[in-house]
C-alpha cells in the first residue's frame, strides 16, 4: 500500500488564516476568543465565542462552504500543485463537520417567525444538507473524484483526514483535499449554553479551575498525496499520515465514558495501525475542550494507555486559543501537529495555572516549546461517543 | 490481496414494509408506498412509514429521547443484528469490532429546526437540553450505538442523495483495512416538513403526487423515508463464525460532475464514469451485469441523465437488460435511497428477477451473477455499486 503525506495546508481560524499566520500566532499563544458578534447574546448567560472576525460571508453559498473553499484554495496554493494540469477524476474531497450549514436552518426559522412558511425564500434549505460543503469545493476547483462529508460531530476532521488517507493508500485516488469546516452557529451556542458547558471568560483546558468550552468556527484543509508523487515533484512534506483509529463509547450521547474506554481504544488502534507503540509518541494534541469532565476523562485515558510514561509525553490543547471549532477542530489540530513536526515546536496550553489534584501530566503550560517531535497523536472526541485518533509522523 | 467483503443479513423499514420479507413481498407485488402523509398532513403526498411503532421492535426503554431518524435506524439495526445472530446481550459490554456506518442527507433536520425554533420563540434559556444531542447530524448513529451496544467504528456519511451507497463503500473499506470484523451499513432518512419545503420550493416534487421514474409524463419526485442496513463482514470472519454469505461487495465507483450544486449534468459524464469505475473495481465488463437497479426518481433531468449514462455503458444491450427503478415503490428516500436500492439489487440477484416496477424494458429475468446499483445526486455527486450474488 502507498504511503501518504501532507503537502499542503490551508486554514481559516479565530487566530488567523493561512499556514504562516496561524502558526506564528499559535506558537505565540494568541487569543482568538472574545465577545460574540454574530448574534445578540443578551438573552444568554454567556457571551464569549471564537469567531473568525475578518471573514465576511457574501454570495449565495453558506458560510461553512465559504470557509471550506477559502481553506481549500490556500491548501492548493501552499502545495504548489497546478490542479488544472491534473487528472481531476483522481482528485477527491473528504470533509468533516458538526453542523454543516446550520445558519440555513437559523435563517429558515427567522423567516418563518417573521412571515410564516410562505415567506421563506426557496434557496435557503437546499443549502442546508452538509454534503454541499465538499460538493462546493469540488465545483469550485473542478474536482471529479469521490466527494463526501463525514459529519461525526467534533471528531469529524480526523475521520475525514482518515478517509482521505485510505483513498490514497488503496490507490483509489491520487490526491485528496481533506479537512473540516463549521461556521459559528446560534444553534450550537444555544445548546452548549443551556448545558452550562460554555466558559464565562476564557478557555482553560486541563486547569483545575476550568469552567467550560468556548464555541468557535473555522475550517482547515490538508492536501494529501502519495509519498512517491510528493518526492517526484520536490514538494514540501510537512508530515506523513501513518494511520488512525476510531471507536464508539456506546455509553452516552454527550458524556464521555468515565474511564475513557473509547478514547483508549481509538489511540491504541491508531498506534497499532501505524506500527508504533506508546513509547514512540513524542506529543499528544489533546481534544481538551476545557469542560471539567471531558478533560478529566482524556487525562485518565492517556494515563491508562501510556502508564508511567504518561507524564513524559507533552500534551496540549490549542482550544485554549482558538476555542472549539467543532467539526473543523481536529482538522485544525492536525495542521498544528503537522507544523509541530515540520518546525520542531509544539504549541502551548494557554490559561493554564494549576493542575488537577494528583495530576502529573505535562500540558505544555502557557509557552510553546522546542521539542522536535517525530511521532504525534491527534485526539478528537465527539457527541455520539465518537472517538478518533490520528497518528502523524516526520518522514523517515 | 484485499479482503473480500460480503453481506450476511439485512434490516429494513420503509413505506412498503418492515423487515426484509415484507419489503420483498410488497416490492415484487408491485405495491407503492406513495400516499397521503399522516405525518405532514396538509395534503402532502409521500412514501411514509405509516403507523410507525418502534416499540414493537425496541421495547419501551429509552425510546422517548429518540427522534424519528434515530427510531427508524434503531429498528433497521435491530432487524439486521437479529438476522445475523450478532445482537449483543444485555449483560455484555458489546463487541468493539462491531460498528455502524450510516448514510443520511438531512439527518435529524426536524430536531435541529425545532430546537432552534424554541430558542427563537421562547428564548435561548428555554430550550430543552435533552433535545440538544439530537441536533448533531450523527445523533441517529450515536443513539443506535448506545441502543445496540455497537462499540466499533460509528460513522455518519453525508453525500446527499448518494449517501447510502457511500456508506456501504466506506464500511467495506473499513473491513478491508482490518479496522472491524462486522459493520452495519446503509442509510436513514425521515420525512420532514423541512425537506418537503426545501424540495417543494425549488420545484422538484411531482405536482400530481405521482412518482413515475423514466416515464414520459414524469413531473418530479415524491419524498420517501425509512432505513435499510446490511450487515457487512469480511468473507473470512463470516466463514469463521459459520454465517452464510449472501452477496459480495464487488466494486464501487464515484465521480463528481463539479458542475452545479442544484442541477444534474444531463449528459451524464460523471454518472458514466462512476459506473465504469465500479465495473473496473469488480473486474468485470458491462456484459456481465445481469440487472440494473436505477436511481431514477421521476426527475425530468435526473432520469434523462441516467438514461444517457446507461446508454454510454451498455449501448444497444440496454434494450434487453432488466432495469427497474424501485423508488416508484419506496419514494425518494434521500440518504436512505442508496441503501434501499442496494437491498433491492440483492433481492433481485437471489430471486433471479427484478421487481415489476418502473421497468425500462420488458426484460425481467436477471441475466448473470452481478447487479449494478446507481445513485446520482443533483449536487453532481455520482456513485455506483456492483454486487455479486453468492446463493
Amino acid at each position: 500500500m502507498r504511503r501518504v503525506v501532507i503537502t499542503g495546508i490551508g486554514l481559516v481560524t479565530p487566530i488567523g488564516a493561512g499556514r504562516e499566520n496561524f502558526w506564528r500566532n499559535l506558537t505565540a499563544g494568541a487569543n482568538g476568543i472574545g465577545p460574540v458578534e454574530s448574534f445578540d447574546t443578551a438573552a444568554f448567560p454567556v457571551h464569549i465565542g471564537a469567531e473568525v472576525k475578518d471573514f465576511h460571508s457574501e454570495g449565495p453559498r453558506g458560510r461553512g462552504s465559504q470557509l471550506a473553499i477559502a481553506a481549500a484554495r490556500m491548501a492548493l496554493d501552499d502545495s504548489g500543485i497546478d490542479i488544472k494540469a491534473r487528472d481531476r477524476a483522481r482528485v477527491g474531497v473528504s470533509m468533516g463537520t458538526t453542523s454543516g450549514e446550520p445558519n440555513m436552518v437559523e435563517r429558515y426559522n427567522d423567516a418563518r417567525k417573521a412571515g410564516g412558511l410562505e415567506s421563506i425564500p426557496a434557496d435557503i434549505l437546499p443549502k442546508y444538507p452538509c454534503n454541499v460543503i465538499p460538493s462546493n469545493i469540488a465545483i469550485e476547483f473542478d474536482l471529479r473524484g469521490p466527494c463526501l462529508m463525514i459529519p461525526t460531530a467534533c471528531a469529524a476532521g480526523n475521520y475525514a483526514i482518515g478517509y482521505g488517507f485510505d483513498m490514497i493508500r488503496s490507490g483509489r485516488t491520487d490526491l485528496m483535499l481533506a479537512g473540516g469546516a463549521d461556521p459559528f452557529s446560534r444553534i450550537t451556542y444555544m445548546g452548549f449554553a443551556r448545558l452550562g458547558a460554555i466558559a464565562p471568560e476564557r478557555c482553560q483546558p486541563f486547569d483545575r479551575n476550568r469552567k467550560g468550552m468556548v464555541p468557535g468556527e473555522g475550517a482547515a484543509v490538508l492536501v494529501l498525496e502519495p509519498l512517491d508523487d510528493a518526492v517526484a515533484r520536490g514538494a514540501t512534506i510537512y508530515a506523513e499520515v501513518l494511520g488512525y483509529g476510531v471507536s464508539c463509547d456506546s455509553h452516552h450521547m454527550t458524556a464521555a465514558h468515565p474511564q475513557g474506554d473509547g478514547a483508549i481504544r481509538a489511540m491504541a488502534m491508531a498506534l497499532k495501525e501505524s506500527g508504533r507503540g506508546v513509547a514512540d509518541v513524542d506529543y499528544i494534541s489533546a481534544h481538551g475542550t476545557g469542560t471539567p469532565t471531558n478533560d478529566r476523562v482524556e487525562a485518565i485515558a492517556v494515563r491508562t494507555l501510556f502508564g508511567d510514561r504518561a507524564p513524559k509525553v507533552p500534551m496540549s490543547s490549542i482550544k485554549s486559543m482558538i476555542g472549539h471549532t467543532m467539526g473543523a477542530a481536529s482538522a485544525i489540530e492536525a495542521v498544528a501537529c503537522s507544523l509541530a513536526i515540520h518546525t520542531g515546536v509544539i504549541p502551548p496550553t494557554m490559561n493554564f495555572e494549576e493542575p488537577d489534584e494528583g495530576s502529573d501530566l505535562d500540558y505544555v503550560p502557557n509557552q510553546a516549546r522546542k521539542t522536535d517531535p517525530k511521532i504525534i497523536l491527534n485526539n478528537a472526541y465527539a457527541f455520539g461517543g465518537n472517538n478518533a485518533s490520528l497518528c502523524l509522523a516526520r518522514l523517515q | 490481496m484485499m479482503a473480500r467483503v460480503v453481506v450476511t443479513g439485512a434490516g429494513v423499514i420503509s413505506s412498503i414494509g418492515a423487515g426484509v420479507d415484507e419489503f420483498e413481498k410488497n416490492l415484487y407485488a408491485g405495491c407503492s408506498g406513495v400516499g397521503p402523509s399522516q405525518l405532514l398532513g396538509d395534503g402532502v403526498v409521500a412514501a411514509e412509514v405509516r403507523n410507525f411503532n418502534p416499540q414493537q421492535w425496541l421495547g419501551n426503554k429509552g425510546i422517548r429521547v429518540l427522534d424519528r431518524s434515530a427510531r427508524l435506524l434503531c429498528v433497521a439495526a435491530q432487524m439486521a443484528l437479529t438476522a445475523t445472530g450478532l445482537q449483543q446481550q444485555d449483560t455484555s459490554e458489546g463487541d468493539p469490532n462491531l460498528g455502524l456506518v450510516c448514510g443520511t442527507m438531512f439527518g435529524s433536520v426536524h430536531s435541529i429546526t425545532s430546537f432552534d425554533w424554541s430558542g427563537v420563540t421562547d428564548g435561548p434559556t428555554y430550550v430543552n437540553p435533552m433535545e440538544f444531542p439530537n441536533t448533531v447530524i450523527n445523533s441517529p448513529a450515536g443513539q443506535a450505538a448506545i441502543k445496540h451496544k455497537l462499540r466499533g467504528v460509528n460513522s455518519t456519511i453525508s453525500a446527499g442523495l448518494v449517501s447510502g451507497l457511500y456508506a456501504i463503500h466506506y464500511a467495506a473499506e473499513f473491513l478491508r483495512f482490518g479496522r472491524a470484523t462486522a459493520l452495519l451499513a446503509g442509510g436513514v432518512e425521515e420525512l420532514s416538513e423541512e425537506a418537503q419545503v426545501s424540495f417543494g420550493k425549488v420545484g422538484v416534487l411531482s405536482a400530481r403526487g405521482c412518482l413515475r421514474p423514466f416515464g414520459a409524463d414524469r413531473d418530479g419526485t415524491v419524498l420517501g423515508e425509512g432505513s435499510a442496513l446490511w450487515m457487512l463482514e469480511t468473507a473470512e470472519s463470516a466463514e469463521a463464525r459459520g454465517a452464510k454469505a449472501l452477496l459480495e461487495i464487488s466494486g464501487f465507483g464515484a465521480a463528481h460532475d463539479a458542475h452545479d450544486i442544484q442541477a444534474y449534468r444531463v449528459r451524464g459524464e460523471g454518472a458514466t464514469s462512476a459506473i465504469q469505475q465500479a465495473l473496473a473495481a469488480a473486474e468485470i465488463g458491462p456484459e456481465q451485469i445481469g440487472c440494473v437497479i436505477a436511481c431514477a426518481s421521476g426527475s425530468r433531468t435526473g432520469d434523462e441523465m441516467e438514461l444517457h449514462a446507461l446508454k454510454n455503458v451498455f449501448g444497444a444491450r440496454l434494450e434487453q437488460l432488466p432495469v427497474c427503478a424501485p423508488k416508484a415503490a419506496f419514494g425518494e428516500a434521500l440518504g436512505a435511497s442508496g441503501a434501499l436500492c442496494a437491498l433491492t439489487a440483492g433481492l433481485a440477484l437471489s430471486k433471479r428477477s427484478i421487481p415489476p416496477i418502473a421497468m425500462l424494458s420488458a426484460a425481467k429475468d436477471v441475466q448473470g451473477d452481478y447487479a449494478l446499483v446507481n445513485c446520482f445526486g443533483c449536487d453532481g455527486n455520482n456513485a455506483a455499486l456492483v454486487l455479486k450474488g453468492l446463493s
Side-chain angles (χ1 to χ4, degrees), chain A residues 131 135 147 166 186 273, chain B residues 116 158 169 179 201 379 381:
Chain A
N131 63 290
S135 277
C147 178
D166 285 348
R186 170 174 87 200
E273 181 164 293
Chain B
D116 184 54
S158 287
H169 144 73
R179 297 196 196 99
K201 291 238 178 198
D379 63 340
N381 214 346

Side-chain angles (χ1 to χ4, degrees), chain A residues 73-252:
Chain A
R73 189 180 306 284
M74 285 185 250
L76 280 171
D77 287 349
D78 188 50
S79 73
I81 289 169
D82 177 7
I83 197 69
K84 290 197 171 59
R86 290 290 187 117
D87 174 4
R88 273 157 289 137
R90 305 276 304 165
V91 183
V93 185
S94 164
M95 293 293 286
T97 194
T98 294
S99 301
E101 300 281 15
N103 306 145
M104 295 301 164
V105 165
E106 295 162 10
R107 282 176 56 192
Y108 172 83
N109 277 337
D110 288 341
R112 187 169 140 205
K113 190 182 177 197
L117 271 183
E118 285 67 38
S119 71
I120 293 166
D123 68 338
I124 293 183
L125 279 177
K127 292 176 194 158
Y128 166 71
C130 60
N131 63 290
V132 301
I133 293 177
S135 277
N136 274 326
I137 294 176
I139 291 164
E140 182 73 17
F141 301 102
D142 197 15
L143 311 178
R144 308 292 185 99
C147 178
L148 83 174
M149 175 60 91
I150 309 181
T152 41
C154 301
N158 268 355
Y159 278 84
I161 295 166
Y163 178 79
F165 165 68
D166 285 348
M167 288 298 96
I168 292 177
R169 196 159 60 129
S170 63
R172 281 185 183 272
T173 62
D174 295 327
L175 196 70
M176 291 293 293
L177 297 185
D182 256 296
F184 206 76
S185 157
R186 170 174 87 200
I187 300 170
T188 305
Y189 200 83
M190 208 151 57
F192 281 112
R194 186 68 183 82
L195 291 180
I198 300 179
E201 289 169 4
R202 54 186 183 153
C203 181
Q204 297 176 272
F206 302 110
D207 186 273
R208 175 184 288 201
N209 298 309
R210 62 187 179 274
K211 294 186 175 63
M213 48 82 75
V214 178
E217 66 173 344
V221 171
L222 291 80
V223 172
L224 306 179
E225 66 180 307
L227 171 63
D228 292 348
D229 290 6
V231 170
R233 69 181 186 87
T236 300
I237 295 170
Y238 296 109
E240 178 174 6
V241 184
L242 292 184
Y244 71 112
V246 295
S247 70
C248 184
D249 282 351
S250 173
H251 167 69
H252 191 275

Side-chain angles (χ1 to χ4, degrees), chain A residues 294-316:
Chain A
N294 284 1
D295 292 3
R296 186 178 67 239
V297 168
E298 188 169 7
I300 290 170
V302 167
R303 200 77 179 77
T304 306
L305 184 66
F306 284 73
D308 291 343
R309 192 166 176 266
K312 300 189 186 75
V313 185
M315 169 162 98
S316 63

